[in-house]
Amino acid sequence: DSMRNTIFIFFIFWGYILWTTGVNSHHYLSATTMVISIGKGVHGFMLNSSIGEFVLTDRNVKIPSKGETYSVNEGFMYQWPEGVAKYVEDKKNYKKAGKPYNARHIGSVTGDLHRTLKEGGIVIHPTTEKHPKGQLCLLYECIPLAYIICQAGGLASNGKMAILDIIPENIHQKSEMFLGSKEDVKEILGCIKKCEQTAETSKTK
């Protein structure tokens, strides 16, 4: 009975599969990519349809330490915490960022993560008024993707602690998430912390 409410996580590997399309020399092309980690780095495979097997194409993938892209649904920007809003606004301002970041948001958390894994940058899924605990499922969205990013040398946080350090309390527990290049994630966490400290100081005056 004492173990009834305890969640155990056992896994052999985490990964994802993406099917993408594009145009090259006026021809439509498609590709199926599989990215996995068994705890010893991240590796990418491409489906070779002629033999019906995935072929290793990217060995030991490493995410750049800093990128030039942020990914977030800006339709909810007026519901974001102050620190998140300030970070995104600063990234649009070349005077503060040095060079404006590119905004890239597919709407698929896996698609956004895959681009960020290859090119660097940050994927932002903050809390909103409608989703005060975050919108992503911790156990089967945040943790697997955080594992991939961290194995590739990046960071993943819920704004207060590392995603992989969180112990789920229930299967469908929600969480906010900031993941991507190490320097980009550190920067947004610093911005969030600074804004929270400023707000707390204002309350005590």
Side-chain angles (χ1 to χ4, degrees), residues 16 18 23 40 49 74 94 120 125 129-130 132 154 156 179-180 201:
Y16 59 84
L18 284 178
V23 179
K40 296 181 179 180
S49 58
E74 296 191 62
Y94 74 92
H125 284 271
E129 293 175 6
K130 185 177 180 180
L179 81 168
T201 301

Side-chain angles (χ1 to χ4, degrees), residues 141-187:
E141 288 182 308
C142 296
I143 290 177
L145 298 181
Y147 186 80
I148 292 288
I149 283 291
C150 291
Q151 281 290 315
L155 291 179
S157 172
N158 69 347
K160 295 180 175 61
M161 64 186 298
I163 291 291
L164 297 181
D165 288 341
I166 304 173
I167 300 176
E169 297 177 356
N170 62 74
I171 294 176
H172 303 296
Q173 180 177 337
K174 301 291 186 178
S175 177
E176 61 183 322
M177 182 169 66
F178 311 94
L179 81 168
S181 296
K182 186 174 293 186
E183 296 303 318
D184 290 314
V185 174
K186 285 182 177 180
E187 185 176 352

Side-chain angles (χ1 to χ4, degrees), residues 70 86-101:
Y70 69 88
K86 185 180 187 306
Y87 173 84
V88 173
E89 191 61 34
D90 286 350
K91 288 304 167 189
K92 296 178 180 181
N93 188 338
Y94 74 92
K95 292 181 179 179
K96 291 185 178 181
K99 176 183 178 181
Y101 269 40

Side-chain angles (χ1 to χ4, degrees), residues 7 13 17 38 40 46 51 68 74 79 122 126 134-135 142 160-161 164 166-167 178 200:
I7 296 176
F13 70 90
I17 294 177
I38 58 173
K40 296 181 179 180
M46 190 76 69
I51 61 175
E68 298 180 348
E74 296 191 62
Q79 297 183 26
I122 185 169
Q135 194 170 2
C142 296
K160 295 180 175 61
M161 64 186 298
L164 297 181
I166 304 173
I167 300 176
F178 311 94
E200 192 64 31

